Structure formats: C-alpha cells, structure tokens
Amino acid sequence: MKQKEKIVAFISIEFGLVILCTLPLFLLHAEPTSPLMLLTSIIFMFLPALTTLIVKRLTHDKGGLFLQLNIRKAWKQYLLAAFIPGVLEVIGVVLYFFIFPSHFDLSLTYAAQLLALNGQTVELPQLSLPLVIGIGMLLILAAPLVIVNHAAAFGEEIGWRGFLLPLLMDELGVRKAVLLNGVLWGIAHAPLVCFGLNYTGDYPGAPWTGILMMVLFATSIGIFLSYLTLKSRSIFPACIAHGAINAIREAPLFICLDTYNAILGPKPSGLIGMTGFLVLGAIILVKFMRCPEMQENC
C-alpha cells in the first residue's frame, strides 16, 4: 500500500475511534469534572496506538516506530524533554500574570472553590511569593518523574510521531509534515475541548475558540515533540516531554482567581501561556528542520 493510502487510513481510523470514544460525552451531557470525562480522556490517549496497530495490520507495514531508547546517543534530547516543558510553562505563567496582575492570587481562593465543589472544606494557607517561586522550581524538577503521565503519552506518541510523522515526511517534507501532524493532533482533541478539556468556564466563542487554541497549542508543542523524536530517532524523549507538560499544566490555576481567561492562560493551552512553546517552535522550524538528518527517510 502506498504512503498516501496509509496516511488516509490512519487519519480515518483515528478520527473514527475518537468519535466512538467521545460519543457518550454528548449523549450523556458529561460535566468537565465527571468520572466519564476522566475515563474518556484516558482512553483517548491510547487511541493513536490502537490506530497504529490496526493500520499496520491492514497494510502489512513493516516500518519501525522509533521504539529504540538511544539514551547514549540522544542524552541531550532526554534532558531537553525532561526540563524544557516546565521552564516554558513557567515563562507563560509569569507572562500571563505580568499582563493580568489582578488575576494573581496567593490566598488560593480558586483552589478552595474547586475543593468546595467536591464537598471538601479545607482552610488553605496564604502563600508568599518566594514560596511560589520555590514551588515552581520544584515542579519543573518533578514533572519528568511522574511516570504514569509518560505511559499515557506513549499511547499518543507512538501513533502521531512514531507512525504518522514519517509517512507525512515522505509525502510533504519535514516542515509541512511536522505542522500538519500537529494540526491533525489538535483537531482530534476537539470533542474533548467541547466538554472542558483545557478550556473550562464561560469564554468568548466557546467551544470554537477553544478548539482553535487547542490546534495552535498542539501544533506548537508538536513541533518540539517532533524535533525530539527525529533528532533522537526515538519516541521516548517525546513521551517524557509530553508527560511533563501534562503533569503540571493545571498547576497555575492554584494561584489564579476564577476570573482568568482560559483562552489566554495561565495554563500552557492559553495563547499567552503557550508563548514559550510558540517561540521555541518557530526557532525549531527555522533552524533545526533544515538539518540533513531530519530529512532522512525514516
């Protein structure tokens, strides 16, 4: 089977599985914090892996999936994967609160409200700015240690970066392939965004603006994840980076009032919150994607 046919097969099956997986959310009018939403989100992350297995079986594809660890040769990419996501998220948080200082809250008001919604009444302490800075640094160091997130990320990375990306590169070249890969990945999240994934509350243009931001977010971090995969010839650095992003993406809400604008931040899925990822993505596209090694047939 030709590469184009494999690409069409992957996209068709993946989006078909996404529709089946998320259909109960629409039928049952699920809430963003409901157990059904949590379960669906977990299953969703393993759909690309299932899609890859189906397409490889149907097409008798014998190609690799970047499953080698390559730690000795790619130790730089592993280090970047572990700590760059946390640094970039902190940059976005700082920038958001610099622009919207009135949203910054050291009394954890919003966190107390979230606990109250779950029937828990807890008196939370007043934080200090040095303590928040210390916690931020600790989160950057701890993010790559949350192994369960890396395992879930593996389900997505093996499909989007391990299988589909090399196929797209054969047809489009590296830059267009990386961008299209990110766009498709973001669109696949659209049903979850409709039920509050990353973008909760009343925000202008919901859910369409949330979907648009999700596509932009997935594309920007997808460039970084693709770079890690192609440079290391392994999906495992991308799994670590992906898992690290997910591990601390909700943390900024603990120091933010509930008046925050989900489309803008402070989480990395907001336009301001993802600033670091956008800048890094642009640098990678301009500088690193010219490297001959990126253009090699995978």
Side-chain angles (χ1 to χ4, degrees):
M1 182 177 286
K2 296 180 180 180
Q3 303 293 68
K4 286 184 179 180
E5 294 173 339
K6 293 179 184 178
I7 293 170
V8 171
F10 181 93
I11 295 172
S12 300
I13 295 173
E14 168 65 15
F15 279 78
L17 291 175
V18 167
I19 292 172
L20 289 176
C21 175
T22 59
L23 185 60
L25 298 177
F26 292 89
L27 295 177
L28 300 175
H29 305 286
E31 295 294 328
T33 58
S34 67
L36 178 59
M37 179 65 180
L38 176 60
L39 177 61
T40 302
S41 299
I42 294 172
I43 295 174
F44 173 88
M45 294 192 72
F46 291 95
L47 295 182
L50 177 59
T51 299
T52 298
L53 291 176
I54 294 173
V55 175
K56 286 182 74 68
R57 173 62 69 88
L58 291 176
T59 62
H60 305 288
D61 181 87
K62 303 297 183 182
L65 295 170
F66 293 123
L67 293 178
Q68 302 85 0
L69 287 172
N70 295 337
I71 295 176
R72 181 177 298 179
K73 292 183 179 180
W75 62 270
K76 292 182 181 179
Q77 283 71 51
Y78 277 94
L79 282 178
L80 291 174
F83 302 114
I84 287 297
V87 172
L88 296 181
E89 288 193 38
V90 168
I91 290 173
V93 171
V94 171
L95 184 59
Y96 179 86
F97 287 128
F98 178 80
I99 297 174
F100 298 104
S102 62
H103 293 181
F104 188 55
D105 176 36
L106 293 175
S107 61
L108 303 178
T109 304
Y110 186 46
Q113 292 175 352
L114 293 177
L115 290 172
L117 289 176
N118 294 317
Q120 303 177 47
T121 303
V122 180
E123 188 172 341
L124 298 175
Q126 175 79 23
L127 300 180
S128 64
L129 185 57
L131 179 59
V132 170
I133 294 173
I135 292 174
M137 295 177 64
L138 182 61
L139 288 176
I140 292 174
L141 296 175
L145 302 178
V146 187
I147 305 300
V148 64
N149 280 347
H150 307 333
F154 177 83
E156 290 198 86
E157 294 307 317
I158 195 173
W160 292 107
R161 254 65 64 180
F163 182 71
L164 182 61
L165 180 59
L167 297 178
L168 292 174
M169 287 173 59
D170 285 346
E171 295 295 324
L172 303 173
V174 63
R175 288 184 181 175
K176 291 180 180 179
V178 167
L179 289 172
L180 180 57
N181 185 272
V183 169
L184 291 171
W185 184 35
I187 293 174
H189 287 78
L192 295 180
V193 173
C194 290
F195 289 90
L197 178 71
N198 286 323
Y199 309 95
T200 54
D202 296 324
Y203 57 88
W208 304 108
T209 50
I211 293 172
L212 178 62
M213 282 299 102
M214 189 66 211
V215 171
L216 182 60
F217 178 49
T219 302
S220 64
I221 66 173
I223 294 171
F224 179 49
L225 299 178
S226 295
Y227 164 76
L228 292 174
T229 300
L230 296 175
K231 192 73 173 177
S232 66
R233 290 302 194 235
S234 170
I235 63 168
F236 292 104
C239 292
I240 292 172
H242 189 165
I245 292 169
N246 288 346
I248 59 175
R249 70 183 182 191
E250 301 293 326
L253 296 186
F254 285 93
I255 53 172
C256 186
L257 293 174
D258 62 356
T259 54
Y260 77 96
N261 188 324
I263 293 298
L264 297 179
K267 296 192 297 182
S269 50
L271 184 59
I272 298 173
M274 72 175 79
T275 299
F277 290 101
L278 289 172
V279 172
L280 179 61
I283 293 172
I284 289 173
L285 282 180
V286 171
K287 185 175 181 180
F288 295 103
M289 291 304 182
R290 297 185 200 168
C291 298
E293 64 208 66
M294 296 289 188
Q295 302 286 351
E296 291 177 3
N297 191 323
C298 302

